[in-house]
């Protein structure tokens, strides 16, 4: 009865504000894929992952091979994916290091199905996903206010939609954005996405945030946008009073390790440690003191727990970063985070930037910056088929097939490069 009868894979698109980062600017639509795993017993489980063409093709290519497998046999499901997935062309430039294509592809594809199977298991047994992961150690998972520099509206679209956040291009506007987000969601930590303006201006914004929110831990994340030399020259402006951690200031483990040797501020990453194959060299070089997991590419919720154990053994911090996402991903993050005893910091979420939802009941609410861990079966969310159909229609008509912040920024600045480091 717990065998997989069918899998439905639905690409979706939802509106996304013009958020700025080191690579460029978010396009008007963000893409995701919703996965429904249906069992022979008539139950279903939900997963949510990236919505680029390559991911959709990979999900669709392995789905038929999973039919008939038992949702409880996650190891067999992973093995089947590994055996059947066609890896991208190694010459396409997608490999991070020789031999890593499988090491990055299989966890990314498995994760989407793992979450859906865990959700189905929970719905069948009447247990929340956190119970299937060993039980919760907290009732609420804290998230941070994730601030972005942004334009007031998208300039190159016929869609009249304008987001509710307004322009944020100056330190004062960033403080206003923080205030609005904290007022609405109650967040108790703040992250500033950086790498957009000259570092001095971004540090001015950090200092303005510190003055406006003296008790909120702060982080800044230039996404590798500062060179090692630039980062070293900025360290006299940064200290552990201002920053809880410094996220990916410079690109690569070697660059991070040079910065790390020069500052007591913990360095965090979701860029230079993105899989098991990166762990050894990162520890050997003392490149990072905090690893930010992302279950969507680390290989799922159990793999996130494994990463947390690794961090415990090495006595380093662990938390989570995010990309544009909806409620299925938020609840998957929340259930995993609820089970991780050594979760060291509030997790990031893009969730406030999205108005749309694909789950029944609409947007998930935050209380004092946290998501309550639900005791409902599975992830505790159900699919709203009408909303799914609308978002699938958006995907069909939006014309975007993979996130491309660089090309979007070239519409504003034709000679925009979008390479790192920028400063
Ligand atoms: O959405 O622009 C963005 C973020 O920069 C995202 O792509 C990153 O993956 O939020 C992420 C991060 O922490 O680096
Ligand atoms: Mg980051």
């Amino acid at each position: 009865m717990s065998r997989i009868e069918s899998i439905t894979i639905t690409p979706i698109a939802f509106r996304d504000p013009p958020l700025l980062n080191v690579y460029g600017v978010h396009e008007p639509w963000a893409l995701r894929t919703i996965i429904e795993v249906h069992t022979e017993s008539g139950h279903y489980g939900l997963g949510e992952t990236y919505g680029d063409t390559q991911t959709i093709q990979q999900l669709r290519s392995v789905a038929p091979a999973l039919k008939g497998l038992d949702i409880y046999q996650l190891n067999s499901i992973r093995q089947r994916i590994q055996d059947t997935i066609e890896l991208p062309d190694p010459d396409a430039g997608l490999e991070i290091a020789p031999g890593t294509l499988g090491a990055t592809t299989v966890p990314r594809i498995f994760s989407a199905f793992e979450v859906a199977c865990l959700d189905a298991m929970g719905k069948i047994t009447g247990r929340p996903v956190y119970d299937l992961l060993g039980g919760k150690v907290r009732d609420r998972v804290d998230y941070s206010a994730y601030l972005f520099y942004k334009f007031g509206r998208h300039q190159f679209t016929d869609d009249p939609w304008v987001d509710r956040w307004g322009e944020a291009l100056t330190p004062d506007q960033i403080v206003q954005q923080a205030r609005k987000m904290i007022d609405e969601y109650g967040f108790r930590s703040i992250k500033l996405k950086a790498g957009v303006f000259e570092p001095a201006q971004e540090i001015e914004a950090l200092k303005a945030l510190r003055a406006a929110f003296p008790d909120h831990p702060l982080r800044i994340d230039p996404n590798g946008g500062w060179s090692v030399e630039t980062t070293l020259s900025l360290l006299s402006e940064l200290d552990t009073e201002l920053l809880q951690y410094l996220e990916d200031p410079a690109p690569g483990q070697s660059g991070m390790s040079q910065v790390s040797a020069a500052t007591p501020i913990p360095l965090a990453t979701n860029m230079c440690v993105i899989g098991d194959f990166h762990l050894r060299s990162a520890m050997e070089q003392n490149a990072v003191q905090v690893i930010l997991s992302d279950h969507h590419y680390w290989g799922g919720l159990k793999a996130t727990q494994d990463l947390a154990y690794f961090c415990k053994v090495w006595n380093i911090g662990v938390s989570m970063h995010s990309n544009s996402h909806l409620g299925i991903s938020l609840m998957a993050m929340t259930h995993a985070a609820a089970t991780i005893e050594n979760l060291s910091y509030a997790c990031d979420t893009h969730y406030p930037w999205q108005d749309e939802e694909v789950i029944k009941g609409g947007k998930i609410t935050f209380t004092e910056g946290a998501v309550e861990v639900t005791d409902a079966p599975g992830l505790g969310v159900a699919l709203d088929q009408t909303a799914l159909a609308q978002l699938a229609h958006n995907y069909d008509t939006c014309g975007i097939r993979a996130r491309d912040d660089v090309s979007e920024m070239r519409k504003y600045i034709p000679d925009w490069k979008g390479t790192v480091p920028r400063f």
Side-chain angles (χ1 to χ4, degrees):
M1 85 164 195
S2 52
R3 286 199 308 209
I4 296 175
E5 185 174 74
S6 64
I7 295 175
T8 311
I9 291 163
T10 312
I12 60 168
F14 44 87
R15 289 195 170 87
D16 203 19
L19 306 180
L20 295 160
N21 61 32
V22 74
Y23 302 110
V25 60
H26 284 212
E27 293 160 285
W29 298 91
L31 309 179
R32 297 293 270 179
T33 306
I34 303 301
I35 294 95
E36 294 165 71
V37 168
H38 303 273
T39 66
E40 290 175 354
S41 59
H43 294 87
Y44 76 98
L46 298 173
E48 176 186 334
T49 188
Y50 307 101
D52 57 285
T53 302
Q54 186 198 45
T55 297
I56 296 163
Q57 280 169 354
Q58 288 168 336
L59 291 165
R60 287 195 169 136
S61 74
V62 299
L66 305 184
K67 208 174 154 187
L69 295 186
D70 183 341
I71 55 166
Y72 289 89
Q73 304 301 318
L74 292 172
N75 295 333
S76 303
I77 291 174
R78 193 181 201 287
Q79 190 62 48
R80 184 66 64 84
I81 291 170
Q82 188 155 323
D83 293 344
T84 50
I85 200 156
E86 203 173 310
L87 296 178
D89 176 4
D91 296 329
L94 297 164
E95 206 162 24
I96 288 154
T100 54
L101 262 186
T104 54
T105 306
V106 174
R108 180 168 43 82
I109 297 305
F110 171 67
S111 169
F113 293 111
E114 186 229 38
V115 171
C117 288
L118 286 166
D119 185 36
M121 284 180 220
K123 287 184 164 115
I124 290 170
T125 57
R127 309 298 293 246
V129 164
Y130 69 71
D131 268 354
L132 305 171
L133 296 172
K136 63 179 174 176
V137 295
R138 59 181 62 80
D139 294 326
R140 302 154 42 81
V141 172
D142 285 317
Y143 288 88
S144 59
Y146 193 171
L147 311 182
F148 276 81
Y149 289 104
K150 67 182 288 293
F151 297 137
R153 55 165 303 158
H154 288 288
Q155 297 289 329
F156 301 96
T157 171
D158 297 334
D159 188 344
W161 176 77
V162 180
D163 70 73
R164 63 197 180 87
W165 295 94
E167 180 184 89
L169 300 174
T170 65
D172 279 354
Q173 288 174 321
I174 284 290
V175 171
Q176 279 169 31
Q177 186 187 94
R179 203 170 294 289
K180 180 171 162 66
M181 208 176 268
I182 288 168
D183 283 351
E184 282 185 29
Y185 293 83
F187 293 122
R188 293 181 291 191
S189 304
I190 298 174
K191 165 170 169 172
L192 175 62
K193 174 60 55 179
V196 175
F197 294 112
E198 287 289 338
Q201 180 182 332
E202 297 185 341
I203 291 173
E204 201 191 317
L206 266 187
K207 290 183 176 169
L209 287 166
R210 167 53 67 242
F213 303 96
D215 300 325
H216 283 63
L218 296 177
R219 313 119 187 214
I220 187 166
D221 176 13
N223 277 123
W226 301 343
S227 68
V228 171
E229 294 66 32
T230 299
T231 312
L232 293 176
S233 75
L234 296 170
L235 290 178
S236 59
E237 295 284 319
L238 305 172
D239 58 32
T240 51
E241 293 291 305
L242 183 66
L243 280 183
Q244 182 181 42
Y245 58 70
L246 174 55
E247 184 173 332
D248 286 311
Q253 288 189 359
S254 146
M256 291 283 277
S257 134
Q258 290 172 65
V259 176
S260 175
T263 179
I265 305 168
L267 299 193
T269 191
N270 61 280
M271 295 180 75
C272 73
V273 182
I274 63 161
D276 299 356
F277 54 91
H278 272 145
L279 289 171
R280 180 177 175 157
S281 56
M283 293 304 100
E284 280 172 354
Q285 297 177 72
N286 191 24
V288 295
Q289 293 76 42
V290 182
I291 298 179
L292 303 174
S293 167
D294 182 330
H295 74 265
H296 303 92
Y297 59 72
W298 267 97
L301 307 190
K302 284 168 174 285
T304 299
Q305 290 182 309
D306 292 346
L307 172 65
Y309 183 66
F310 175 90
C311 293
K312 183 174 174 177
V313 169
W314 281 85
N315 195 25
I316 61 172
V318 65
S319 187
M320 295 182 189
H321 95 115
S322 80
N323 274 297
S324 307
H325 67 91
L326 297 182
I328 299 169
S329 282
L330 182 66
M331 290 318 297
M333 290 168 72
T334 300
H335 279 268
T339 69
I340 293 171
E341 174 235 322
N342 56 318
L343 188 77
S344 331
Y345 306 96
C347 301
D348 298 349
T349 180
H350 277 59
Y351 200 66
W353 294 110
Q354 263 61 62
D355 293 340
E356 288 147 292
E357 246 312 349
V358 75
I359 55 173
K360 282 191 182 153
K363 302 294 285 181
I364 291 161
T365 50
F366 288 69
T367 322
E368 292 175 358
V371 175
E372 305 275 350
V373 182
T374 167
D375 297 329
L379 293 172
V381 293
L383 203 52
D384 177 337
Q385 291 291 349
T386 310
L388 180 70
Q390 176 59 53
L391 300 193
H393 173 75
N394 293 345
Y395 175 84
D396 290 340
T397 54
C398 75
I400 297 172
R401 288 297 174 261
R403 175 177 169 179
D404 187 354
D405 295 11
V406 177
S407 299
E408 186 67 13
M409 192 59 147
R410 285 194 184 130
K411 296 177 186 167
Y412 297 81
I413 306 172
D415 63 351
W416 176 259
K417 300 255 178 327
T419 49
V420 293
R422 280 191 62 215
F423 300 102

